[in-house]
Amino acid sequence: MSQRSFLGVSKFSGLTAALLVVSTGCSDSGGDGSGGAGGTAGAGGAATGSTYPRDAEIGMHQLQALATHNSYHVEKEGNVIPQWMYTYEPLEVQLEQYGVRSFELDTNYSNGLVDVFHVPGIDNESTCSPFTDCLQVIKTWSDDNPGHQPIFIHLEPKDDEFDPTGTPFDTYVDAVDAKILEVWPRERIITPDDVQGDAATLREAVTTNGWPTLGEARNKILFYLDEGGPFRDAYSNTGDSVAGRIIFPDFGTDHALSAVTVINGPESTEIPTAVQAGFIVRTRADGLGGEDAATRRPMALSSGAQILTTDYPVTWGGIEAFSIPEGAPSRCNPLNAPADCTSADIEAL
């Protein structure tokens, strides 16, 4: 089987006639970057160059965004496992050229470092590592593109899965939050505290008050956890609280801390129920090999899940690239967005 390489292929085009140039330098931009209802201020208070008059009306949960699976992945030299024969473009290229607005980062911890790769030793190449480097790539793009919709980061701790003798999860949950805050200022992160507000629980907040508006969420990032074991339990004080935390844990839809959940099968009837109740859902629009793309993709799009993950941001091996229909780069959610919402209301960079 030949390598599935995404290098050097460009497919995304938004409403603008040309793509912006991504700076490779680091930025010290600060400020809340929310832009307000008019969307006139961005990272560091810079003008966005575009206005979004419906920013106070549309919520950040009323969109559908393109995501990539194992977004950092680079095929390791000598690999013989077909499912690992793929290499993605760097994260900033996915943001700029493909319209990706959600990334999956697999974290591994050792000796005080949080790294990003798939499997220790045998599938450990990445376009960015350590974790803070990946975050800086995304933040640099964010600083250079004020006015963008919120970016979603899917975090999947891998340590116990492949190395049960490795560092216990409960010893480094604080380190993950600390690493995030090294790169992203707290005011540009959408946290559980921000969403819960004065509600009694996080679940009550999303099912009654809803999520921040797009105006409040522009130029910001949201982290959620894809792990239901020792890391989640340590991170949430055994499910009691995420007060002061950065990441949304996945407790499904029936727990006091429920807000963001992963339901990988797009055919699941739980997805539209969860979305209509107020939750944010990630599902997979296709899988490695792509044989299921023709059936899974329409189901994912109609499900209402806000984060649609693909293994094919570009066409490869006879499998057509997946993109958000009429997205610029995202589109209005078919289940919960206002009827007259347009893709340009979400983002038109």
Side-chain angles (χ1 to χ4, degrees), residues 39-63:
T40 57
T48 64
S50 178
T51 58
Y52 295 92
R54 304 188 67 185
D55 264 7
E57 174 189 352
I58 301 172
M60 61 173 288
H61 61 301
Q62 295 178 310
L63 54 77

Side-chain angles (χ1 to χ4, degrees), residues 37-348:
T40 57
T48 64
S50 178
T51 58
Y52 295 92
R54 304 188 67 185
D55 264 7
E57 174 189 352
I58 301 172
M60 61 173 288
H61 61 301
Q62 295 178 310
L63 54 77
Q64 280 191 318
L66 179 66
T68 47
H69 173 235
N70 292 347
S71 309
Y72 55 86
H73 193 271
V74 173
E75 184 180 13
K76 188 177 181 71
E77 184 177 357
N79 168 60
V80 296
I81 299 177
Q83 290 86 351
W84 298 347
M85 291 179 177
Y86 64 99
T87 293
Y88 279 115
E89 286 273 21
L91 304 184
E92 70 270 25
V93 176
Q94 295 184 49
L95 283 160
E96 185 74 1
Q97 296 190 19
Y98 307 151
V100 174
R101 294 295 181 265
S102 178
F103 296 110
E104 179 179 334
L105 302 178
D106 294 336
T107 58
N108 298 264
Y109 181 81
S110 178
N111 298 321
L113 286 177
V114 180
D115 289 317
V116 173
F117 57 82
H118 190 216
V119 182
I122 56 175
D123 194 31
N124 60 349
E125 298 295 326
S126 175
T127 62
C128 58
S129 198
F131 182 47
T132 49
D133 284 1
C134 299
L135 298 180
Q136 185 60 63
V137 169
I138 299 167
K139 184 172 180 292
T140 296
W141 182 90
S142 174
D143 292 342
D144 291 343
N145 292 271
H148 68 77
Q149 68 166 71
I151 296 170
F152 301 92
I153 304 298
H154 175 124
L155 295 179
E156 186 173 354
K158 288 289 189 179
D159 309 63
D160 278 7
E161 181 177 356
F162 296 106
D163 185 11
T165 64
T167 305
F169 276 164
D170 61 1
T171 64
Y172 80 99
V173 293
D174 292 338
V176 176
D177 275 2
K179 294 299 183 183
I180 292 172
L181 290 170
E182 282 183 20
V183 179
W184 282 83
R186 168 64 182 80
E187 63 268 18
R188 285 179 61 190
I189 304 170
I190 300 163
T191 71
D193 284 344
D194 296 333
V195 174
Q196 182 170 339
D198 295 330
T201 67
L202 188 55
R203 185 184 191 280
E204 178 183 307
V206 301
T207 58
T208 58
N209 302 329
W211 290 81
T213 64
L214 278 176
E216 295 167 329
R218 290 198 186 279
N219 309 306
K220 296 184 181 181
I221 195 166
L222 179 149
F223 296 86
Y224 66 94
L225 186 66
D226 183 12
E227 192 270 348
F231 189 101
R232 183 192 68 180
D233 291 344
Y235 192 82
S236 64
N237 190 27
T238 63
D240 287 340
S241 174
V242 285
R245 289 297 195 186
I246 300 299
I247 306 165
F248 288 81
D250 185 357
F251 277 98
T253 60
D254 295 324
H255 191 279
L257 299 180
S258 298
V260 183
T261 189
V262 176
I263 305 176
N264 284 324
E267 73 284 355
S268 173
T269 58
E270 295 178 9
I271 297 178
T273 299
V275 171
Q276 289 173 326
F279 300 99
I280 287 178
V281 180
R282 179 262 202 177
T283 196
R284 292 188 65 174
D286 51 46
L288 289 169
E291 296 85 357
D292 55 358
T295 55
R296 288 174 67 101
R297 291 175 178 180
M299 289 189 294
L301 288 163
S302 63
S303 73
Q306 292 91 343
I307 303 168
L308 306 185
T309 300
T310 183
D311 283 283
Y312 294 88
V314 298
T315 299
W316 180 87
I319 306 300
E320 185 179 355
F322 175 71
S323 60
I324 305 298
E326 300 181 0
S330 297
R331 74 170 184 172
C332 303
N333 194 293
L335 293 192
N336 63 10
D340 56 348
C341 175
T342 69
S343 294
D345 291 327
I346 308 298
E347 183 184 313

